[in-house]
Amino acid sequence: MNKMATQVCGDTSEATELCATQRLYLKPTAKLGIHVTLPEIKVAGVSISNWEVMERLKSMVAPDQFNVLKVVESSMEFIRFEGETDTKGLIIKFISKLEGKFIKLSGFAEPLKVRAAELKLKFPSVNDWNSFFREAGNLDERNPGERPDTIVIKGLPCKWFADDDSKSKPSEDVLASVFRRFGKIRCVDIPILDPYRQKLSNNEFQTFYFGSHLHFDAFIQYNQYQGFSNAMGALKGMKLMHISEEGRAATANIQVDFDRTCHMSAKNIKKREQERLKLIEMERKEEERKSREKEEAERQKEMERLEEERKEAERKKILQDAIRRKEERKRAREEKKRKKRAERIRREIERKERQRQLEREREQEKAEQKIGAKRLLMELLQRVAAVKEQEEEDRKKLEEERNKRLKELEMLKQMEEKKRKLEEEERKREEEEKRKKEKLEEQEKELRDKLIQNLKKMEQRRDQLKKELLQRQIASSTAKLTSFVNDTSTGK
């Protein structure tokens, strides 16, 4: 379906009118074949990006642009692209920019050679349809549909062939009015408009775009061969163009061929009609069956409703009986509860009477116990007073004994304090003597050190004097010897 997609058209200069009322035109299909030779890849893991090559091709034709540029074949040796432009003039311009040129890709020392040429479109020729119908032995050229009189067009946009009643479905009348330009039309057929066409047994009908809301296929049968030939000649290498009321142009690639299936022959039309009638009959029977099933279901539903109402009435009666029995049981329970409550009140009164009697007996017993307790308390108080007097006497004796002991302890503490003071004075005296002794020893040591130092100085002075005396003696001897030597030399 991508091949059938509509494209915006920027240049309408090469368009020729097809049907002015529908704003439809024919425009030459300008396609370019591009062959890019790839260098030998010697490094494993290195590949050439089709997208990168495509971008280089686009930059080579800039500022012009491709309407469509796609990869149609790719291998290790080459990449083949198919490009489409708005006009035939651009094809020549693009070929001059691409043919024999080279593309240099980063990472490849060898450039990629580009070959470009206008793409020849596949389209049946006069010889093709003449040969087809001549070699078909079971066809009679005298019968419409069994001769070259019907064209098949695929990929027609639905909106461009819609009438005012339906903006999304194509109209056979609009289709006939558009292609009547080439000759008188016997009939047309748009398979997607027939709701039964999908269910037909013939496999040829399975190729149509059933359910598509964008494009449709159509069969157009002309009365005369001339109309068929004119249409095939006019549609060769063309695409359909539509200009909106706002002036925006759009194109759609269509596939045109002669009818190779005898789709519009009387035999096939009759066969389709018979199968269509069978389908309608089957549909009618199916509707009747569904209607009977619906009536049966409704009758069954009504019976079920009546049965449900009967069961509901029975349930209500059972429920009412259950409620009545429940009320009777409730009254019996309430009577039983009333009797139990009266019995409980009677027992409660008797219990309270017994309790009051017991309380009176307990109060009397408590009064007697209270009198006995008072007597016992008086006796205990007397005994406690006697015990307290004895304890007071014992306490006084203990107090006197304790005071005596305290005085003795006080005297003992005073004696120990005096002893401690004497010992403290003795200790201080000993420490004072020790300090004096240490001071004397220290002074003695200092005097001894000074004496030793003085002796050392005296010895050093004596040694120095000896050294000076010896030096003077040596100097005197030297002077004498020199004088003697001089005198000896003079005498000679």
Side-chain angles (χ1 to χ4, degrees), residues 104-307:
K104 184 69 175 70
L105 295 179
S106 59
F108 295 91
E110 187 178 347
L112 283 65
K113 187 174 182 180
V114 180
R115 301 298 304 274
E118 185 175 357
L119 199 63
K120 293 183 179 180
L121 303 176
K122 293 181 180 180
F123 197 86
S125 63
V126 175
N127 186 50
D128 290 335
W129 60 69
N130 285 337
S131 299
F132 177 83
F133 287 101
R134 184 172 57 251
E135 294 172 1
N138 58 342
L139 300 180
D140 187 353
E141 291 188 0
R142 293 173 297 178
N143 299 326
E146 298 182 18
R147 60 193 180 195
D149 60 0
T150 305
I151 64 173
V152 184
I153 306 177
K154 295 184 178 182
L156 294 169
C158 293
K159 288 186 177 181
W160 295 359
F161 292 86
D163 55 17
D164 296 334
D165 297 332
S166 175
K167 298 296 183 181
S168 59
K169 290 184 179 181
S171 167
E172 290 185 349
D173 293 337
V174 174
L175 180 69
S177 67
V178 171
F179 288 95
R180 193 175 290 121
R181 178 186 186 90
F182 306 113
K184 189 175 181 180
I185 293 176
R186 182 186 300 275
C187 61
V188 297
D189 182 34
I190 301 176
I192 64 170
L193 297 180
D194 185 359
Y196 297 97
R197 196 67 61 92
Q198 274 184 297
K199 301 177 183 179
L200 296 179
S201 59
N202 197 337
N203 290 332
E204 67 177 281
F205 304 115
Q206 304 304 315
T207 60
F208 304 128
Y209 301 109
F210 289 108
S212 171
H213 300 289
L214 301 177
H215 302 86
F216 70 97
D217 297 349
F219 292 85
I220 304 169
Q221 187 179 57
Y222 289 91
N223 278 350
Q224 302 294 330
Y225 171 78
Q226 189 61 41
F228 166 81
S229 178
N230 292 340
M232 293 294 287
L235 296 174
K236 181 179 180 180
M238 294 291 182
K239 54 186 175 181
L240 199 61
M241 186 178 77
H242 178 266
I243 299 178
S244 66
E245 294 179 357
E246 295 80 11
R248 290 193 293 269
T251 60
N253 289 319
I254 56 175
Q255 295 179 8
V256 181
D257 197 2
F258 63 90
D259 181 18
R260 302 169 188 264
T261 62
C262 300
H263 179 78
M264 302 295 284
S265 65
K267 179 175 63 176
N268 283 335
I269 292 173
K270 183 178 180 181
K271 182 179 178 181
R272 284 197 300 274
E273 186 62 25
Q274 288 175 349
E275 291 191 5
R276 188 170 182 274
L277 292 174
K278 286 181 182 179
L279 289 172
I280 292 173
E281 181 64 19
M282 289 172 61
E283 193 175 74
R284 184 185 63 78
K285 289 181 179 180
E286 181 67 17
E287 289 293 331
E288 290 178 354
R289 183 185 65 79
K290 288 181 179 179
S291 178
R292 288 195 301 271
E293 289 179 353
K294 185 178 179 181
E295 291 175 358
E296 179 65 22
E298 289 177 353
R299 187 180 64 80
Q300 185 67 24
K301 189 175 181 180
E302 181 65 19
M303 291 177 64
E304 290 175 356
R305 186 184 64 79
L306 294 174
E307 180 65 18

Side-chain angles (χ1 to χ4, degrees), residues 456-472:
K456 286 182 179 180
K457 288 180 180 180
M458 289 175 67
E459 287 179 357
Q460 290 175 358
R461 180 62 179 165
R462 187 181 60 189
D463 292 340
Q464 187 176 2
L465 291 173
K466 285 181 179 181
K467 192 182 290 184
E468 290 177 355
L469 180 60
L470 182 59
Q471 287 177 354
R472 283 197 296 270

Side-chain angles (χ1 to χ4, degrees), residues 301-401:
K301 189 175 181 180
E302 181 65 19
M303 291 177 64
E304 290 175 356
R305 186 184 64 79
L306 294 174
E307 180 65 18
E308 186 65 27
E309 288 179 354
R310 185 185 64 78
K311 290 181 179 179
E312 184 66 23
E314 290 181 357
R315 282 196 296 271
K316 285 182 179 180
K317 185 176 181 302
I318 293 170
L319 182 61
Q320 289 173 355
D321 293 342
I323 292 172
R324 180 178 53 78
R325 289 193 297 272
K326 185 177 180 181
E327 290 293 331
E328 291 176 354
R329 288 195 299 271
K330 184 179 179 181
R331 285 194 295 270
R333 285 196 302 271
E334 288 178 352
E335 181 65 21
K336 188 176 180 181
K337 285 181 181 179
R338 187 184 62 76
K339 290 180 179 180
K340 284 184 177 180
R341 190 163 52 249
E343 180 66 21
R344 190 167 56 251
I345 291 170
R346 184 184 63 77
R347 287 198 299 268
E348 183 67 18
I349 292 171
E350 291 178 354
R351 186 187 64 78
K352 287 182 178 180
E353 184 63 28
R354 287 195 302 271
Q355 188 174 0
R356 283 195 293 270
Q357 182 66 27
L358 289 171
E359 286 178 356
R360 285 194 295 270
E361 292 176 356
R362 280 198 295 271
E363 287 177 358
Q364 186 177 358
E365 186 178 352
K366 284 181 180 180
E368 292 175 355
Q369 289 176 355
K370 190 174 182 181
I371 293 169
K374 284 182 179 180
R375 290 175 182 172
L376 181 60
L377 181 61
M378 292 298 293
E379 187 177 350
L380 287 173
L381 288 173
Q382 290 175 0
R383 290 184 181 181
V384 168
V387 170
K388 281 187 175 181
E389 288 178 0
Q390 184 63 36
E391 286 179 351
E392 184 65 23
E393 291 178 0
D394 294 342
R395 187 184 64 75
K396 287 180 179 179
K397 289 179 181 180
L398 288 172
E399 185 68 24
E400 290 175 357
E401 184 69 24

